[in-house]
Structure formats: C-alpha cells, structure tokens
Amino acid sequence: MKNKVLVLLILGTISFTSTISAQETTTNLLENAQTKAKKENKAIFIKFEASWCGWCRKMTKDMKAESTKAFFEDNYILVPFVVNESKGKEKLENPGSRELLKKYKGDEAGLPFWLILDSNLNVLADSFDANGDNLGGPASKEEVNQFISKIKKTAKKVSEKDVKNIKNQFIK
C-alpha cells in the first residue's frame, strides 16, 4: 500500500509540475539568440505572435516555405515570442513577452509584430512602416516591398532570387 501511495504522489507531482511550468522566458531566449547570433554572425529576427493570430501563422508559413526557409535561416536567428494569448491560454506566453512588446512600442500595433536586432540587441529594423503602421505579416505588394527593404538592410546577403522568392511566397 505504501508503494502505491508513493507512486501516486510522484505521478501527481510530475503531472502538477508539468501543468504549471511556464514557457521559456524572453530573457533566456534573447540570451541564447544573442550568443548564437554572435557565433554565426547573424541578426536576430523576433516575431511576437499568438496561437489565435491567423496573420502570425501565415507569416511563419511564408518564412518556413521551401523557397524562403534557407534565406531566413542563413541570415537570421529566428525567435518567436508568444504574447497576448486568449483567456485560458496565457500559459503559452513567454514570460516577459508583454513587457518586451511594450518596450518596442508594439503593444498597440497588433500581431504579428517583429523586430530585427543585431547581435548586441540593438534594433536594426521593426515592423512599422514609414507612416508608423504595423506591416505585421506582409501580404500586399506594398507591404512586401517595405518588408524586403528592411530585409535588405539587415541580412548579410540578399540576392535577386531571394527577393523574387519572398515576393512570390508572401504576396497574396
């Protein structure tokens, strides 16, 4: 009987621990990304997203498409931050993501909101257009052209083929 109680206590503890454990903190994610970015001589592409956000899923799909995946992985350390989850799904959020979103003035911009940082965590580009509106997950010709302009300023190398692939994938 003692063994059964002990097993139940251990299983209950494991189950309880796994349900209350939070996602990795933005501090840890940024530190890891910074270390990797310095080692690999890349910029850091942060995308704030939520599970309910269709535009977030589209942007992720576009960045991971067969025609664009190598470009983004060759030039950036990609770091998704989960933020602004629906009631009951807050446990999916990365601790510190709301504060970081606010720090970069994306808290009222809508999702996805993205930043491109250098390996010292200085902002190279963000998802605001020239009018201060969030490009979010770029999909129109104008949005994608602005996105490409920011990519050209932050990536190590952008070929004409890369530009064509991004346009073909992102413009809908």
Side-chain angles (χ1 to χ4, degrees):
M1 184 67 176
K2 275 186 175 179
N3 287 342
K4 285 183 182 179
V5 171
L6 183 61
V7 169
L8 288 174
L9 277 172
I10 290 170
L11 289 175
T13 302
I14 291 169
S15 175
F16 177 73
T17 303
S18 66
T19 57
I20 62 164
S21 65
Q23 298 296 322
E24 195 167 359
T25 68
T26 55
T27 301
N28 287 346
L29 289 168
L30 274 176
E31 286 173 359
N32 293 338
Q34 183 178 26
T35 299
K36 195 170 181 181
K38 286 182 178 188
K39 183 178 177 185
E40 298 178 19
N41 191 32
K42 294 180 181 178
I44 302 166
F45 194 111
I46 296 172
K47 183 165 68 80
F48 293 90
E49 59 189 20
S51 64
W52 52 263
C53 175
W55 284 107
C56 301
R57 288 190 302 275
K58 181 192 178 307
M59 187 172 186
T60 297
K61 180 182 142 255
D62 289 342
M63 291 175 76
K64 291 184 176 184
E66 188 177 320
S67 62
T68 58
K69 182 178 181 176
F71 169 78
F72 285 104
E73 289 179 351
D74 289 347
N75 287 283
Y76 302 102
I77 304 301
L78 303 172
V79 185
F81 286 154
V82 179
V83 67
N84 297 344
E85 276 297 337
S86 304
K87 191 167 184 80
K89 291 190 176 186
E90 297 90 348
K91 69 180 187 281
L92 298 175
E93 293 183 15
N94 296 100
S97 60
R98 289 178 187 246
E99 294 79 8
L100 201 58
L101 185 64
K102 187 173 185 168
K103 174 182 176 181
Y104 292 107
K105 300 179 179 20
D107 54 324
E108 295 185 26
L111 295 177
F113 180 79
W114 47 267
L115 301 164
I116 301 174
L117 310 176
D118 66 17
S119 62
N120 292 315
L121 306 182
N122 298 308
V123 177
L124 299 174
D126 59 32
S127 60
F128 289 118
D129 67 11
N131 297 321
D133 295 322
N134 183 16
L135 292 170
S140 72
K141 183 178 179 180
E142 297 78 24
E143 291 168 342
V144 173
N145 285 336
Q146 289 181 61
F147 179 63
I148 289 169
S149 173
K150 291 174 184 260
I151 292 295
K152 285 181 176 179
K153 293 176 184 174
T154 61
K156 291 185 285 187
K157 183 180 178 203
V158 183
S159 70
E160 285 306 310
K161 182 180 178 187
D162 295 325
V163 169
K164 181 181 176 189
N165 288 342
I166 292 169
K167 284 182 179 183
N168 286 341
Q169 181 61 45
F170 280 74
I171 295 174
K172 299 295 175 209

